[in-house]
Amino acid sequence: MAGALAGLVLGSIVGAVATIAGSYFLFWRRRRAALAHLRRAFETELSALSYIDEMAESGDYETLTQAVEAPVVYESNADDIGHLSGDEVEALVAFYTDLYWLDDQPDIEDKKERVHEIAEKRQRAVEVLRENE
């Protein structure tokens, strides 16, 4: 009787541990997939914003301030950005903060150096995202 009771308790414990381990594995796998999708979304948006580099390089600053588009991925996923690595968060926030600054500028002629820094920050964000894939 005691052996049957011990077997029942042991079976329950093993079953509980297996359930917890399986649930954690599924959670971890889903989280990893969600982060991969988030990184790809940011990479796609940053690639679409490559015109910033081209316009900065050609010196077309006035058109650039008028051509800046709202960063849809960044705005839609602001709550989830904290799940990325510290380097990714830093690079993305630095770029998007400057992108908002660029959008608010009526006259950019005296701030040309900062425009080139924005292009560099975009490239840095892309590099950091690709490193963490």
Side-chain angles (χ1 to χ4, degrees):
M1 178 85 165
L5 184 59
L8 182 62
V9 170
L10 184 61
S12 296
I13 292 172
V14 169
V17 169
T19 300
I20 291 169
S23 295
Y24 179 75
F25 175 74
L26 287 175
F27 169 78
W28 175 78
R29 192 169 159 213
R30 286 181 185 145
R31 170 68 66 166
R32 191 171 165 199
L35 289 177
H37 290 282
L38 184 59
R39 284 184 182 104
R40 270 187 251 127
F42 274 116
E43 264 189 75
T44 302
E45 182 168 76
L46 290 168
S47 294
L49 292 169
S50 65
Y51 65 85
I52 293 171
D53 302 11
E54 296 162 8
M55 289 180 145
E57 189 68 32
S58 67
D60 198 4
Y61 304 113
E62 292 299 322
T63 306
L64 177 57
T65 59
Q66 297 167 3
V68 174
E69 299 171 18
V72 176
V73 173
Y74 182 73
E75 291 177 358
S76 299
N77 294 289
D79 293 341
D80 296 327
I81 197 170
H83 297 295
L84 298 172
S85 74
D87 289 342
E88 290 171 313
V89 172
E90 183 180 331
L92 289 169
V93 170
F95 168 71
Y96 284 108
T97 299
D98 284 358
L99 185 67
Y100 285 117
W101 171 84
L102 182 63
D103 190 33
D104 290 337
Q105 295 303 308
D107 181 22
I108 202 77
E109 284 300 319
D110 59 337
K111 300 173 183 90
K112 294 175 185 176
E113 281 189 31
R114 182 141 183 211
V115 173
H116 291 280
E117 288 176 13
I118 294 171
E120 291 170 8
K121 287 179 181 179
R122 188 198 70 78
Q123 293 167 359
R124 170 76 177 129
V126 170
E127 289 170 10
V128 171
L129 287 168
R130 288 183 180 157
E131 287 172 5
N132 289 300
E133 283 183 341

